[in-house]
Amino acid sequence: MTTSFEILPFLISLPLGYLCIEFLFREHERPDPFIQFCLAAGLGLGLSSVLTFSSYLILDRLSRSFVVALHLAILLGLYFYKIRIARKSVSRWTYPSVNPVNGMLWVLLSLAMVPLVLEAVYYPYGGWDAWSVWNFKAKFLLLAGHDWRNLFDPVLWRSSPHYPLLLPLVNVWGWIFLKEPLPAIPMYTSLIFSFLSAGLLLAVLYHHTKSAAAVIAPLVLLTLPFYGTLATSQYSDVIVGFYLSAGLYCLMQGLELSRQPYTILAGIFLGLLTFTKPEGAMLTAIIIFTASFMTWQRRKTAPIKPFLTRLFLWAGIASLPAVIFLITCSPGNQTFINGFVSQSHPVTFYRVKVIGAFVAREFISGKWNALWLVVLSGMCLAGRSCWKREFLIMPLTIGFYMAVVLFYYATNTYFEITWWLAFTLNRILFSLLPAIFLWIFLAIGKMTGQKTKDGNDRPLKA
Amino acid sequence: MGYYTDKSMDNPVDAMQFAQAQYTLAPIVLEFNGLDREYILFDCTDKNIAYEKMKAIGAVGIRQNQFGIILARNPKAVKK
């Protein structure tokens, strides 16, 4: 039976994220309410994780009262700021009106969550890596007191002590009002991020296409059995998927429409992404490099300095927890052998062939229920729309990232390659799915959407 | 504390069992095959293998469960 203390931390994080977004955006610039809700919930949980981390850094232990007080202080500060602004504003508090079609789509999406919730209930401890890595770390951080740094002892190399702590700290925050580490909390976390990933997809697609067909993409995602299994496994990949798609969407808005608050928000999401997993940090680096390159190419037509300054500044600020973790906590990667210099574990042509064959087999594997064929069909359907300038950041990021990941598989010869690919490649693809769907379905929406009177494509609307 | 096993960690089931022990005992750190710790969990394919190892290091059994997992104390161990 769920008690209010189990869900209270999540209910505190939501307004925290919501008020932060209200703080960043001027009233007439704010995102669509549904987009704002999804972004706010993800942002709030990320901030809660960082605030919880601050207790370990400042007090050298978890102080529940400190973490709760910090949350309430920030929440109250933002709330009173909003009241002050609302008093000055003509429209004061505004409540969004819900289009009935949009409302129905959200009801459908919520119904599609039911099988996922049931699966989560029958899978209460999640997958192997949940109890050996993520939930183990969360439980350790909750109970260890001043000995929390023992978590980074190299003897725990099987639990990847070099992995950042965003997910464990979200779960510690979820346990903040409880006496013991209930397994239900990591389950809620994974379900919330699964819902937010699908919800953001629906909100963005509906906002930009105004078509009920926008619900197809999130429904496909949530009803895919293998997606459900990984989503309820309580791994960090579901969080990587959410922050990646949120960061890319905000970046696209900032890049194409020069809307500064979106650029700031993109920086924050990309910064939080670095605190999820080493793969998240790699994605952030790739996205920032790609966005800088794309902006540089337009230097003659648009001023690039404000955009790049904001992106670098806010991504840098939001990456601070990951940087502090890397410098003061991480024992370094204990499971890395550079196959290009190692004589005992060299990179072989056989290893490269296995990687190629495995990747090809993964895309046609039955567990994905022909999903990659659907993705390919979507790309064909969208045609040139997929490669339009406004969406280009997405395929470039996904393409570069996959190239880096495959190179890493070849380079790091610590693990036996077939075992490693079997356990991790599907999670990499899973974390990319929301961003891939966002890209393909936005492009399809653009292709099938309205043309201007002179026959040109409409630009991506805010 | 230490965790001693003669099982292969290449076998996912045995590796999972070790991970479960580590998760259950958190925030205690389990050192794999750490026989120099004061308290050691023996999880062997045969109880006799565990007894022999305990005898070799001078450890004394404290408890044993129905699955044959033994908690032992090594009085010679230096507390870390």
Side-chain angles (χ1 to χ4, degrees):
Chain A
M1 193 73 183
T2 304
T3 66
S4 52
F5 285 121
E6 287 174 33
I7 54 168
L8 187 56
F10 300 104
L11 295 180
I12 294 174
S13 296
L14 175 63
L16 180 69
Y18 194 85
L19 289 172
C20 281
I21 292 179
E22 297 261 309
F23 179 77
L24 283 178
F25 286 80
R26 275 178 289 185
E27 196 174 331
H28 63 280
E29 280 186 324
R30 277 182 201 137
D32 166 84
F34 289 99
I35 297 177
Q36 185 172 350
F37 169 80
C38 294
L39 295 178
L43 178 64
L45 285 171
L47 293 176
S48 292
S49 171
V50 173
L51 294 178
T52 308
F53 190 41
S54 71
S55 170
Y56 292 92
L57 297 177
I58 296 168
L59 305 173
D60 199 30
R61 69 184 173 90
L62 173 68
S63 164
R64 293 168 190 250
S65 47
F66 175 80
V67 175
V68 174
L70 206 56
H71 272 82
L72 293 180
I74 296 173
L75 211 49
L76 282 174
L78 289 168
Y79 179 73
F80 285 119
Y81 175 81
K82 179 166 168 70
I83 297 257
R84 218 181 110 212
I85 295 295
R87 275 193 193 132
K88 286 182 188 169
S89 160
V90 178
S91 59
R92 300 208 171 188
W93 292 86
T94 53
Y95 297 96
S97 57
V98 179
N99 169 336
V101 177
N102 198 5
M104 279 306 294
L105 299 182
W106 280 89
V107 171
L108 261 178
L109 192 75
S110 305
L111 288 175
M113 278 297 290
V114 173
L116 218 64
V117 172
L118 290 175
E119 189 169 355
V121 169
Y122 285 104
Y123 200 31
Y125 290 95
W128 178 6
D129 269 4
W131 73 73
S132 79
V133 180
W134 304 109
N135 297 348
F136 160 66
K137 287 182 178 189
K139 190 181 170 195
F140 199 108
L141 287 167
L142 182 80
L143 302 175
H146 285 290
D147 296 326
W148 67 279
R149 283 183 186 271
N150 288 350
L151 181 58
F152 312 112
D153 191 324
V155 301
L156 291 172
W157 64 268
R158 283 184 175 79
S159 300
S160 304
H162 64 291
Y163 272 24
L165 298 173
L166 191 136
L167 172 59
L169 288 167
V170 169
N171 290 331
V172 171
W173 166 240
W175 287 323
I176 209 88
F177 298 111
L178 303 175
K179 286 179 185 166
E180 54 185 26
L182 277 190
I185 299 299
M187 192 203 295
Y188 295 160
T189 305
S190 60
L191 285 173
I192 287 170
F193 275 102
S194 307
F195 181 73
L196 291 179
S197 298
L200 183 66
L201 203 53
L202 172 61
V204 168
L205 291 175
Y206 186 78
H207 178 69
H208 289 287
T209 63
K210 296 286 178 258
S211 161
V215 80
I216 293 173
L219 279 187
V220 168
L221 206 62
L222 289 183
T223 53
L224 187 75
F226 190 60
Y227 185 89
T229 302
L230 286 179
T232 54
S233 289
Q234 303 173 17
Y235 298 160
S236 196
D237 306 283
V238 69
I239 301 184
V240 173
F242 173 78
Y243 284 134
L244 175 63
S245 52
L248 279 174
Y249 174 69
C250 292
L251 191 62
M252 215 167 65
Q253 293 284 298
L255 198 63
E256 293 306 321
L257 303 170
S258 305
R259 296 180 68 183
Q260 298 162 7
Y262 272 111
T263 309
I264 295 172
L265 209 49
I268 296 173
F269 279 124
L270 294 178
L272 288 173
L273 190 57
T274 61
F275 201 35
T276 55
K277 273 184 102 175
E279 289 91 325
M282 180 52 67
L283 274 165
T284 298
I286 289 171
I287 292 169
I288 289 183
F289 172 77
T290 311
S292 305
F293 180 73
M294 287 173 70
T295 317
W296 179 254
Q297 281 199 318
R298 298 177 203 172
R299 65 191 180 281
K300 284 178 186 162
T301 53
I304 62 169
K305 204 175 162 188
F307 171 81
L308 287 180
T309 309
R310 278 189 193 90
L311 183 63
F312 275 88
L313 178 70
W314 286 95
I317 291 171
S319 298
L320 276 178
V323 173
I324 292 170
F325 170 81
L326 196 68
I327 295 170
T328 66
C329 303
S330 171
N333 189 350
Q334 314 285 304
T335 51
F336 179 77
I337 294 174
N338 184 346
F340 285 108
V341 294
S342 169
Q343 292 192 334
S344 57
H345 293 75
V347 178
T348 57
F349 183 57
Y350 171 75
R351 190 179 179 90
V352 176
K353 275 200 301 187
V354 168
I355 294 169
F358 204 101
V359 171
R361 210 187 67 173
E362 183 68 26
F363 283 113
I364 54 169
S365 166
K367 70 186 173 205
W368 289 106
N369 296 87
L371 177 82
W372 299 104
L373 200 63
V374 174
V375 169
L376 190 66
S377 309
M379 282 172 72
C380 294
L381 187 65
R384 281 166 52 193
S385 281
C386 275
W387 311 104
K388 284 194 182 294
R389 199 182 71 171
E390 60 209 77
F391 304 128
L392 206 53
I393 184 85
M394 298 202 200
L396 286 178
T397 299
I398 293 161
F400 281 144
Y401 177 62
M402 280 312 291
V404 171
V405 165
L406 295 181
F407 182 72
Y408 186 69
Y409 275 126
T411 309
N412 184 3
T413 51
Y414 185 91
F415 295 110
E416 198 276 311
I417 190 63
T418 46
W419 176 88
W420 195 20
L421 285 164
F423 275 94
T424 57
L425 182 63
N426 51 41
R427 293 185 214 168
I428 301 255
L429 295 174
F430 163 81
S431 64
L432 290 176
L433 267 181
I436 292 174
F437 271 41
L438 192 65
W439 165 46
I440 304 281
F441 281 87
L442 267 179
I444 293 173
K446 168 100 179 170
M447 191 264 308
T448 55
Q450 322 87 347
K451 299 254 180 191
T452 54
K453 281 177 186 168
D454 55 3
N456 293 322
D457 288 331
R458 284 187 196 279
L460 188 72
K461 274 194 211 162
Chain B
M1 67 188 286
Y3 181 95
Y4 180 81
T5 182
D6 61 335
K7 296 172 185 171
S8 166
M9 287 294 112
D10 291 337
N11 178 3
V13 175
D14 295 330
M16 280 181 196
Q17 203 157 345
F18 173 67
Q20 276 184 345
Q22 178 60 89
Y23 174 74
T24 307
L25 290 170
I28 292 168
V29 175
L30 278 189
E31 186 179 349
F32 188 73
N33 286 348
L35 293 170
D36 56 343
R37 299 282 175 161
E38 186 178 3
Y39 291 97
I40 306 159
L41 270 184
F42 286 88
D43 176 18
C44 297
T45 47
D46 189 314
K47 275 185 228 170
N48 292 327
I49 295 173
Y51 294 147
E52 274 175 33
K53 202 71 194 177
M54 283 162 62
K55 198 175 166 187
I57 62 167
V60 183
I62 300 173
R63 244 176 211 196
Q64 180 177 329
N65 71 4
Q66 70 266 41
F67 305 109
I69 294 172
I70 301 165
L71 172 66
R73 183 169 177 267
N74 182 1
K76 293 178 200 162
V78 181
K79 277 189 182 176
K80 289 189 181 178

